[in-house]
Amino acid sequence: MKSLLEIRKDLHRIPEPGFLEFKTQRYILDLISTFPQNHLEVHTWETGIYVKVIGRNPSKTIAYRTDMDGLPIVEETGYEFSSLHEGMMHACGHDLHMTIAIGLLSHFAQNPLDDHLLFIFQPAEEGPGGALPMRESELFRQLQPDMITALHIAPEYPVGTIAVKEGLLFANTSELFIDLIGKGGHAAYPHLSNDMVVAASHLVTQMQSIVSRNIDPLDSAVVTIGKITGGTKQNIIAEKARLEGTIRTLSPEAMEKVKKRIEALVEGISRGFECETVIDYGSNYRQVDNEPTLTREFMEFAKQQVNVFECKEAMTGEDYGYFLEKIPGFMFWLGVDTPYGLHHSKLKPQEEAIQHAVDLLVQYFIFKGNRN
Ligand SMILES: [Zn+2]
Ligand SMILES: [Zn+2]
């Protein structure tokens, strides 16, 4: 097999959007086909892959999940192995997550545990979301893991460290798209038209009251409108306007509440400005909620090998939360020490982190999956 660093470079060159990870899937399947096959069971699901390592004397199935997709970002790392796909980049470390899965898989294909291991290569983490449909698939029901683990690279932590906490790690997130449709017209005849720039402006202002007036101050939520578009020209009244944003909350209840308030405010705008409105929540991700007992046990175990920080929860989103909704487990941050954050065009994770993660998880899976 090629070295893990070479594999990571290969994967870095071919970032693909969600559910279009065809080359990535092919690359991984080809690699897996070079492993000893006698303990392996390989399934594909859409552009994703499941690989089960059959245990010698199984009583449970332990899963590791990696995401597979890249982002629509023009790469500026200067790497000699930069993206070959123009306008796409592995800017969230999913190339590292997959490489770590392959490192683990190559080890356990040769040295199976007592228990089954299940490697889940999941498409479309960045959108529209692969975790929920994957979890709901018939194949997943058959493979049904008893516990699940995953990691995400963390630019802000040094290599050789991990960060994790019991309970909530990542927020509930939802995209938000609101279309306002009125009636355009000449700028000098406002009484004959229905101006969506004015309606959109009111709506944006009104939505600022949701977090400040409707959410418990001891809970947390974010409603951000990051983009407004509307109109065609400076002297034409805008027929249409579109708001694009995101909602983040620390509880599913707060997410429900925020959405109810947005719907009420949009309804009010619709009546007040006599326009049509359409709300679309796009991709919705459930919170990542680390099961406390397994997480605490993992933290104690990991301390023997790496530095373990207890972190705070973050308002970022991860569709891995859908797996944790049904299967006990956890996600942790893997330190990769780089000045640029996730989704940045210059993100350059330190590649030594790959071997740290493989070593740690090999030992952890042996600890969890072997009886002696
Ligand atoms: Zn991301
Ligand atoms: Zn990511």
Side-chain angles (χ1 to χ4, degrees):
M1 188 177 83
K2 287 183 176 181
S3 72
L4 291 181
L5 297 186
E6 285 304 315
I7 290 169
R8 185 262 163 156
K9 291 185 172 113
D10 288 346
L11 289 167
H12 190 83
R13 288 188 185 99
I14 53 166
E16 296 169 288
F19 289 124
L20 295 173
E21 301 93 337
F22 299 107
K23 285 189 202 169
T24 306
Q25 184 190 43
R26 187 72 261 153
Y27 180 85
I28 294 168
L29 287 172
D30 286 347
L31 255 186
I32 293 169
S33 72
T34 67
F35 297 167
Q37 297 294 304
N38 40 338
H39 304 289
L40 298 189
E41 200 184 290
V42 181
H43 306 270
T44 58
W45 174 89
E46 303 280 335
T47 45
I49 309 168
Y50 293 105
V51 187
K52 186 169 178 174
V53 185
I54 310 289
R56 294 171 307 205
N57 177 25
S59 65
K60 63 179 182 299
T61 301
I62 303 168
Y64 172 86
R65 171 274 202 179
T66 171
D67 32 22
M68 301 171 74
D69 52 333
L71 285 158
I73 291 175
V74 177
E75 179 160 355
E76 292 183 305
T77 57
Y79 279 148
E80 49 86 13
F81 55 93
S82 284
S83 171
L84 300 174
H85 294 174
E86 213 179 314
M88 291 295 298
M89 177 186 171
H90 269 300
C92 200
H94 302 181
D95 49 341
L96 277 81
H97 305 166
M98 288 187 277
T99 305
I100 291 162
I102 291 163
L104 293 167
L105 191 47
S106 88
H107 175 87
F108 289 111
Q110 299 170 61
N111 310 284
L113 300 174
D114 286 336
D115 284 328
H116 299 309
L117 284 173
L118 179 66
F119 292 88
I120 302 172
F121 293 85
Q122 179 219 300
E125 191 282 324
E126 302 287 357
L132 184 59
M134 207 170 194
R135 188 196 81 186
E136 294 301 303
S137 70
E138 185 50 42
L139 196 50
F140 189 78
R141 254 185 282 276
Q142 288 163 24
L143 295 165
Q144 196 62 40
D146 299 280
M147 65 166 283
I148 190 161
T149 61
L151 58 82
H152 203 293
I153 63 159
E156 66 274 36
Y157 290 102
V159 173
T161 68
I162 64 164
V164 62
K165 72 181 280 289
E166 297 169 37
L168 192 75
L169 189 68
F170 291 175
N172 297 270
T173 68
S174 173
E175 295 177 339
L176 175 63
F177 304 98
I178 303 172
D179 284 299
L180 304 166
I181 304 124
K183 186 163 177 268
H186 194 290
Y189 298 89
H191 55 295
L192 300 179
S193 46
N194 195 5
D195 189 345
M196 290 305 102
V197 163
V198 177
S201 307
H202 275 264
L203 182 56
V204 171
T205 307
Q206 286 181 13
M207 284 197 292
Q208 306 311 307
S209 71
I210 298 174
V211 173
S212 67
R213 300 292 86 183
N214 301 128
I215 297 297
D216 182 337
L218 298 181
D219 201 346
S220 287
V222 171
V223 178
T224 291
I225 299 296
K227 185 176 176 187
I228 304 183
T229 46
T232 49
K233 196 167 182 292
Q234 125 280 350
N235 62 355
I236 299 175
I237 287 174
E239 181 182 334
K240 289 180 184 165
R242 180 174 169 86
L243 310 182
E244 301 180 33
T246 181
I247 313 167
R248 315 238 153 166
T249 70
L250 292 184
S251 69
E253 295 74 31
M255 178 60 76
E256 277 309 296
K257 181 113 176 225
V258 169
K259 286 184 173 176
K260 278 216 177 83
R261 289 302 303 149
I262 288 173
E263 285 155 26
L265 294 173
V266 169
E267 171 70 26
I269 289 288
S270 177
R271 265 197 244 154
F273 290 86
E274 297 180 313
C275 59
E276 274 179 60
T277 53
V278 181
I279 302 175
D280 174 6
Y281 292 119
S283 304
N284 285 253
Y285 290 172
R286 194 177 196 283
Q287 64 194 31
V288 170
D289 206 355
N290 283 342
E291 197 279 326
T293 311
L294 281 170
T295 309
R296 179 55 57 188
E297 181 190 59
F298 172 71
M299 289 168 81
E300 291 307 319
F301 182 87
K303 274 180 194 160
Q304 302 162 20
Q305 300 201 33
V306 292
N307 291 317
V308 180
F309 289 108
E310 195 154 346
C311 58
K312 283 191 173 161
E313 58 268 39
M315 276 291 182
T316 48
E318 241 293 346
D319 72 348
Y320 176 66
Y322 288 115
F323 287 114
L324 289 181
E325 187 184 10
K326 292 285 156 83
I327 304 151
F330 54 85
M331 170 172 261
F332 64 91
W333 291 110
L334 175 71
V336 294
D337 193 15
T338 155
Y340 298 102
L342 299 175
H343 294 200
H344 196 287
S345 58
K346 291 183 178 166
L347 178 83
K348 289 168 83 165
Q350 300 295 318
E351 54 192 12
E352 297 77 30
I354 294 170
Q355 198 57 49
H356 281 281
V358 172
D359 292 344
L360 172 62
L361 288 172
V362 162
Q363 293 309 318
Y364 176 69
F365 289 154
I366 290 171
F367 164 68
K368 291 301 284 180
N370 269 351
R371 287 166 289 283
N372 36 41

